[in-house]
Amino acid sequence: MKIPVLEVFGPTVQGEGMVAGQKTMFVRTGGCDYSCAWCDSAFTWDGSQKADALTPETIVAKLQEIGGDRFNHVTISGGNPALHKGIGELVQLLKAQDIGTAVETQGSFWQEWLREIDDVTISPKPPSSKMVTDWEKLDYFCEQLQSRPSGSQSLKVVIFNEGDLAYAKKVHARYPNMTFYLQVGNDDLEEGTPTRLRDHLLERYEWLVDTVMEDKELNNVRVLPQIHTLIWGNKQGV
């Protein structure tokens, strides 16, 4: 079963969520059931870039061609990779080579292959995205992961404003036993100078850290920047 792929790149550093800092290759799939107002990967769903339909075997070959022997971890990204059933075969091929896997999805579609992913990040979208959370779908998604080893899945909410923070507290209260990350959002997708964006995002990160430190409902959370934006700004394919 073929998978729509927009880019394969790396090795690079994972910039977000539970595996932030991990050396990894990326497979970015096309297509998404959301169209978030601030999406930093809108090219995966807005038609501005065309995906190639690739077999899992071809994807593994591309990973090896680009990454050589310099990786043992692959992040499957999007868009929403959980739209694609064929990723299950890709995960099996990677596991057969002892290559770890990670995925991030908003938790709106369940696929059985998600049980085989080493690190699953569920990232429901806050009000600033202009998307509406289907809580029943998110409940089902989280329930399906309960049988997995503790620590192999987590929740992450991107924060742009106080409304997003209130939403994040609702998510955290709904799933109190799941590791929970807050991450400052990139609100300037047009800035072409990485150092200017870095300084701006570090100010936003400081605001988020200071706010969380004063909130008793957020005692058991982890607060992160986007590592890749601090290094490369809005550049694609890094």
Side-chain angles (χ1 to χ4, degrees):
M1 190 176 293
K2 292 186 177 180
I3 303 164
V5 175
L6 280 154
E7 54 184 355
V8 176
F9 63 92
T12 186
V13 64
Q14 170 59 259
E16 306 188 28
M18 64 188 297
V19 287
Q22 170 72 51
K23 181 180 181 181
T24 188
M25 295 290 291
F26 270 84
V27 175
R28 188 179 298 282
T29 62
C32 193
D33 51 316
Y34 279 18
S35 53
C36 295
W38 37 250
C39 181
D40 60 1
S41 304
F43 61 89
T44 62
W45 51 264
D46 66 5
S48 61
Q49 296 186 30
K50 186 178 182 298
D52 294 321
L54 304 179
T55 64
E57 291 83 3
T58 301
I59 295 171
V60 171
K62 279 185 170 289
L63 286 165
Q64 293 172 335
E65 177 186 354
I66 297 168
D69 61 357
R70 295 174 293 125
F71 75 98
N72 64 1
H73 187 275
V74 172
T75 298
I76 304 166
S77 185
N80 184 4
L83 295 177
H84 309 301
K85 189 174 182 179
I87 289 176
E89 186 179 346
L90 173 61
V91 173
Q92 290 176 2
L93 292 173
L94 293 172
K95 288 178 73 72
Q97 298 186 31
D98 200 26
I99 295 172
T101 53
V103 72
E104 180 174 324
T105 175
Q106 57 263 43
S108 55
F109 276 86
W110 173 258
Q111 296 279 2
E112 284 299 310
W113 56 259
L114 286 156
R115 300 186 195 279
E116 305 303 318
I117 297 286
D118 293 305
D119 301 295
V120 178
T121 297
I122 312 156
S123 184
K125 306 310 177 187
S128 63
S129 71
K130 309 301 183 186
M131 299 293 104
V132 178
T133 299
D134 186 323
W135 294 103
E136 288 188 7
K137 286 185 177 180
L138 186 57
D139 286 346
Y140 179 81
F141 195 101
C142 292
E143 287 168 5
Q144 295 308 301
L145 295 174
Q146 286 182 354
S147 61
R148 287 162 46 88
S150 176
S152 62
Q153 55 273 328
S154 67
L155 282 157
K156 184 195 78 176
V157 176
V158 178
I159 305 297
F160 288 84
N161 53 44
E162 294 284 354
D164 291 349
L165 203 56
Y167 170 89
K169 288 195 280 189
K170 181 178 178 179
V171 173
H172 188 36
R174 194 178 184 98
Y175 313 103
N177 297 320
M178 193 173 292
T179 304
F180 194 72
Y181 291 85
L182 298 177
Q183 184 168 294
V184 68
N186 178 5
D187 60 355
D188 191 352
L189 300 177
E190 302 301 320
E191 176 57 68
T193 304
T195 53
R196 290 179 183 171
L197 183 61
R198 178 197 64 203
D199 291 345
H200 169 68
L201 292 179
L202 284 174
E203 288 180 2
R204 298 293 298 154
Y205 181 51
E206 183 178 10
W207 163 79
L208 182 57
V209 169
D210 289 345
T211 303
V212 171
M213 297 308 110
E214 296 301 317
D215 196 319
K216 66 181 181 181
E217 296 179 67
L218 296 172
N219 289 346
N220 193 27
V221 304
R222 305 176 188 190
V223 189
L224 295 178
Q226 280 186 322
I227 297 173
H228 56 289
T229 57
L230 296 181
I231 301 173
W232 297 292
N234 289 313
K235 185 177 180 180
Q236 183 181 337
V238 291

